[in-house]
Amino acid sequence: MTHAGDTLKFRNGDRLQGALLSATATGLRWQADGAPAPILFEATNLAELQLAPRPPTNARQLHGWLVELTNGDQLTGDIVALDDQTLTLTTWYAGQLRLQRTMIKRLECRALAPVVIYSGPTGPSDWKSSSAGWTYKQGKLYSRRGQSGVISKEVGLPAVANIEFDIAWRGQPYWAVGFYNAAGLNGYQLSCNGNYLYLNRNNQRNLEGNVQIAERGQRTKAHVTLRVNKPKKTIAVYFDNVLVKQWTDTTEFDGKGTALSFQSQGQADLRLANIVVSEWDGKLDSDPAPTRAPSEDLVRLSNGDKVSGALRSMTGREAGLTNSFAAVKIPLTKIAAIDFAGSTAATARRQATDVRAYFPDGTQFTLALEQLDEKAFAGTTENCGRVNLPIDTFTRLRFNVSDKSAASPEEDDWGAPLTTPRKHQ
């Protein structure tokens, strides 16, 4: 059974509506809307397959751990066991996976992850706009050069908050993010004006001058994080997870509201995505970790403590770690995250047939394509061998990920219309 409503994107920017029939490493069979017979497309010409929703084949489950691999992939699952060679993970979407330990970068306990208050954008009416300066398309907000405007949303910012978003630009980056806004009150505003960052309160007073952004000329995008501690009156700004500056308001905290806003000043094309507001524990990532050798693992505990050493084993209940002081057993319920030693790390080699699957929760998995049909996606990876994923478990596939000359879906978005997609000729 085919599912009309799939979308096939090509590397030249064209798009075609229809239904997936099957695919192998060399090509993809497609039933285009209105076409009398299936069409075979060469895999080298493909950019992305966006899948229409399918009926679920497996019961969904919220897994307790997030696994980050050295190649950038992320998987969720529950820990069965860890030894010096392998992490065994059980998943609802792919059964039991046996991941090579050297290819694991980090484990994070999802049960101890911050509470997410807002994640979006989710649609054209998700944010209120003061003008026609912003447009929504496929999970992103766009502002074109020559257009300016403000979008805002009441997100319920907590007193200690983590605000994250991805922003990209073409041209000089002139934009601003406002937080703790209320009707008639501006709260705080972080402005990016070319090479500098400014922080203002209520659009009037600049806090402690400006900050020059390193390597601004080489940047065309950034992952921006704001960490605000209202009781302590501190505001920290990160670019790509690197602390740029922490401000302290020496007067009364000015944020009277709980809304968030973004402003485009019209000097550049802007693309805004992955806006997340969550609770924060008040601890900066710049807090020093214990000194450790490259061969040591680092266990981060839920109370903020950090212990380095050799992680010998894990079960579904506890982790065993040894260092120069002792051998200890740590309950998994006390572990927030584990950073694995870098000295023995390895990365799965890229294959010409690699295809990246994107899951609804934002995680992704790269496999060398063997077979894709209406039921499943089968492929291999050095991370864990052969994997079979039911097709309803992911939302899209990106092709030619090992080819650096292939434009990513985000890069393609700049050139594509924001309204009606083009048809493949």
Side-chain angles (χ1 to χ4, degrees), residues 128-380:
K128 294 181 180 179
S129 177
S130 63
S131 67
W134 290 89
T135 307
Y136 172 86
K137 182 185 134 205
Q138 294 182 351
K140 301 179 181 68
L141 291 163
Y142 294 83
S143 179
R144 293 299 191 189
R145 191 182 313 228
Q147 299 178 332
S148 60
V150 178
I151 51 173
S152 62
K153 183 175 180 62
E154 175 54 64
V155 295
L157 286 170
V160 184
N162 183 83
I163 304 164
E164 299 183 58
F165 56 91
D166 291 324
I167 190 162
W169 54 85
R170 295 194 304 184
Q172 290 293 318
Y174 285 83
W175 50 267
V177 53
F179 44 101
Y180 292 97
N181 302 330
L185 298 172
N186 292 313
Y188 291 87
Q189 180 171 280
L190 177 73
S191 300
C192 179
N193 293 335
N195 202 26
Y196 294 90
L197 290 179
Y198 302 83
L199 182 63
N200 298 321
R201 50 172 285 151
N202 202 16
N203 220 13
Q204 294 177 355
R205 184 169 66 86
N206 184 20
L207 272 67
E208 302 177 22
N210 55 62
V211 181
Q212 187 169 7
I213 308 171
E215 302 177 352
R216 191 274 308 168
Q218 301 177 15
R219 289 181 182 270
T220 57
K221 60 183 178 179
H223 179 76
V224 181
T225 304
L226 295 170
R227 288 179 177 160
V228 186
N229 192 320
K230 191 172 180 179
K232 293 185 177 180
K233 301 185 291 186
T234 60
I235 299 167
V237 178
Y238 294 76
F239 266 48
D240 296 327
N241 301 312
V242 176
L243 179 64
V244 176
K245 184 175 177 62
Q246 177 176 275
W247 288 268
T248 300
D249 196 339
T250 56
T251 59
E252 180 185 1
F253 192 86
D254 194 56
K256 308 300 182 184
T258 57
L260 188 63
S261 66
F262 292 92
Q263 180 179 1
S264 166
Q265 299 178 352
Q267 286 89 341
D269 294 329
L270 295 179
R271 182 179 67 225
L272 186 62
N274 301 321
I275 306 169
V276 178
V277 175
S278 60
E279 295 180 352
W280 174 44
D281 61 9
K283 299 172 183 176
L284 293 177
D285 288 348
S286 59
D287 292 344
T291 302
R292 60 170 176 146
S295 59
E296 290 185 318
D297 306 306
L298 179 66
V299 179
R300 302 174 185 268
L301 303 180
S302 56
N303 65 357
D305 290 344
K306 302 166 186 176
V307 184
S308 62
L311 184 63
R312 299 297 185 187
S313 64
M314 292 179 72
T315 67
R317 299 182 61 183
E318 64 182 16
L321 181 135
T322 61
N323 56 28
S324 57
F325 302 102
V328 295
K329 299 288 187 180
I330 307 173
L332 292 196
T333 55
K334 302 295 184 182
I335 297 177
I338 300 172
D339 299 318
F340 284 80
S343 62
T344 57
T347 302
R349 289 170 292 183
R350 289 191 171 189
Q351 306 294 320
T353 57
D354 278 351
V355 175
R356 184 167 297 140
Y358 293 86
F359 298 91
D361 63 0
T363 56
Q364 60 189 42
F365 199 15
T366 304
L367 299 171
L369 174 62
E370 291 184 349
Q371 180 66 38
L372 174 67
D373 56 34
E374 183 51 35
K375 294 183 179 180
F377 169 31
T380 59

